Structure formats: structure tokens, C-alpha cells
Amino acid sequence: MCSSSLRPVLAGLLMLLAAATAQARELRVCSDPNNLPFSNEREEGFENRIVELLAKDLGATVSYTWWAQRRGFLRNTLLARECDLVAGLPSAAEMVKVTPPYYRSSYVFVTRPDRPEIISLDDPALRHLKIGLQLVGDDGANTPPAHALARRGIVGNVRGYTLYGDYSQPNPPARIVDAVGQGEIDVAIVWGPTAGYFAARQTPPLRVRPVQPEVDGPILPMRFDISMGVRKEDLELWHEIAGALHRHRAEIGAILAAYGVPGAALVPEAAEP
């Protein structure tokens, strides 16, 4: 076959390829580029791995819009239509339509292995130890453990570490775990996934124990369910994501375990949405 007779065939193949490319599905996700163990721009976090698992189930490829996950994150990303899905949201989030939770974790105590073990907010040792707490936002808003300690009058020996940290450094939320390993503080109360991942990377590895009680007083929980979120009107995508989360419960559990998420109990299995 001469080269001139090949041209129509090649042109047809190129047209078919272009049509297939145009029809390829894209799962648009907004995520933090510098927040291990959850996500980073090299897609090394457990949320990155879970999203990739869901995309494969849906026959889609993942495309990311990167945005620091701090105040205004949802407003500037999902709600601004920069993406269609956000992972790792509290199941109680109200600005979006959340999926059924796909894992739950808790705040934990982080201590060095050569120090006394702390497992309870009522441990008398907390009154004289140097305690590190995560604070949320530039205004230092309090996390549940901070409220719980304040309710017990434990304030003078507490040091705050902003959850946002120095964003020019890798994984700024890890700073509070580093502070335990370096002896700057005696114990830290940290959100479980952050603690479990970075405590295991200290030398020697740090001890991680879930905070007790799980609910302090009548209404202050230390354990939270985690979901994914879409815009409230995106009901079809919600059903697809919720169904994929349900179908891949076992794989998601294995991913969470690999990243050392403490107390990463999958929520009780329910019927597929």
C-alpha cells in the first residue's frame, strides 16, 4: 500500500483517538499539596491512594487542583467549581454533601517510649507535664482536646502548635510530633492520622495511644467519622463515590493501616447507596 493510500487510514485513526480522548472521564479533585499523611503534590498520601482507587472503579483518571487546606478551602475550590470532589472531610460538614463515612479516627496522646504512658485526660500527670496541642487557624481556635484540658483547669503548661504551621516547610502539621521526639514537650495530643504516621518515623518511634474518654463531658467527642464531599447538587457523582467507597472497604482499610492511622476503624458496613 503506497504512502498516499495510508493517509486516509491514519487520519481516521487519529480522529478515533481524539474522540476517545475527548470522552475519557476525569475525576477532578481538590487537595492540599503539602499535608502528609493525607496528600501532597507527589500524590504520596493515603487520600491520594484512596482517590486513585475510586477513580479506577469509575473508569476515570484523576486531575488535581492543589490548594492549602485552611480557612476558605472549600469556598475557593469545590464550591468555586475548581473541582468536583474533596476527600477527608468531617462527616458533619455542612457546606457540601458528604458521603457515608469511610473511616473514623481519634485524637491520640503521643509520648516518648522512655516517658510514662498517658491514656486519659484525667491522668494527674497532665497537670505538671509540658503538653503540646494542635490549634486551628491563624486565630488559634481550639481543638476538642484544648477545650477538654481547659475544662480541667490545665492551661499554664500547655503549648500550642498551629495546624497550618510554616507552609514553606514540608508537612507543617508534623511539627508537634517532632517536638515530642526532640524533648521540647513531654506529651502531645494530636489528630490520629498525623500522629500515627509521623510518630513511627521518629527515632526511636514514639508511643501513640487514643485519648480517653472518647466523649468528654456530655458533648465533646475525641473521635470523628471522615467522609468525602461533593457539591450538594451533584447527586449522581455522590452516588458513584459512595458506591465505590462501599465496594472497596477492604482496600481502603489496608491503605489506612499501611499509613499507621490509629484507631482507623472502618465504620459499620451498611447497604450500598
Side-chain angles (χ1 to χ4, degrees):
M1 185 179 292
C2 66
S3 59
S4 60
S5 62
L6 281 173
R7 290 172 186 163
V9 176
L10 292 174
L13 289 174
L14 289 173
M15 290 178 64
L16 289 172
L17 179 61
T21 301
Q23 294 172 4
R25 185 171 185 184
E26 185 179 55
L27 183 62
R28 301 191 311 146
V29 179
C30 285
S31 195
D32 193 313
N34 186 25
N35 191 27
L36 285 179
F38 307 96
S39 63
N40 68 6
E41 60 187 348
R42 292 183 294 278
E43 303 180 27
E44 296 170 328
F46 70 77
E47 298 290 12
N48 299 124
R49 291 186 59 188
I50 293 172
V51 164
E52 188 64 40
L53 183 68
L54 303 184
K56 184 177 180 180
D57 181 279
L58 301 180
T61 58
V62 181
S63 67
Y64 279 102
T65 294
W66 301 110
W67 194 282
Q69 196 162 353
R70 51 188 65 193
R71 183 169 294 173
F73 173 77
L74 288 174
R75 183 179 66 251
N76 289 295
T77 57
L78 184 68
L79 300 182
R81 297 189 174 275
E82 295 295 326
C83 61
D84 303 309
L85 179 70
V86 172
L89 295 178
S91 297
E94 297 180 348
M95 296 175 65
V96 300
K97 184 170 179 60
V98 294
T99 64
Y102 57 101
Y103 80 96
R104 63 168 58 112
S105 192
S106 70
Y107 281 94
V108 297
F109 291 107
V110 181
T111 53
R112 295 187 298 281
D114 61 342
R115 302 288 293 177
E117 184 176 29
I118 304 294
I119 61 172
S120 172
L121 291 164
D122 294 313
D123 191 321
L126 291 176
R127 297 192 174 276
H128 58 78
L129 296 176
K130 291 181 288 185
I131 305 170
L133 287 176
Q134 289 178 301
L135 302 178
V136 181
D138 298 328
D139 57 357
N142 285 340
T143 55
H147 286 291
L149 291 181
R151 196 169 71 84
R152 291 164 171 78
I154 302 174
V155 293
N157 54 331
V158 171
R159 178 175 177 180
Y161 291 80
T162 174
L163 191 62
Y164 300 154
D166 181 358
Y167 208 72
S168 67
Q169 300 298 315
N171 313 307
R175 180 70 185 90
I176 188 172
V177 180
D178 294 339
V180 177
Q182 294 165 10
E184 296 176 16
I185 53 179
D186 299 309
V187 56
I189 308 179
V190 186
W191 176 232
T194 300
Y197 184 79
F198 288 108
R201 284 157 175 76
Q202 294 286 323
T203 304
L206 302 178
R207 181 195 295 124
V208 174
R209 297 290 184 268
V211 167
Q212 297 293 330
E214 288 187 351
V215 179
D216 188 53
I219 59 171
L220 191 62
M222 298 294 150
R223 185 177 71 174
F224 295 89
D225 289 350
I226 303 299
S227 298
M228 296 192 180
V230 303
R231 286 179 295 276
K232 291 184 177 181
E233 64 271 22
D234 290 346
L235 297 182
E236 182 177 351
L237 179 60
W238 181 90
H239 278 286
E240 290 183 300
I241 296 297
L245 287 169
H246 176 86
R247 289 189 291 276
H248 294 284
R249 283 170 48 84
E251 295 99 317
I252 290 170
I255 291 170
L256 295 169
Y259 280 76
V261 178
L266 294 173
V267 296
E269 187 168 6
E272 183 170 356

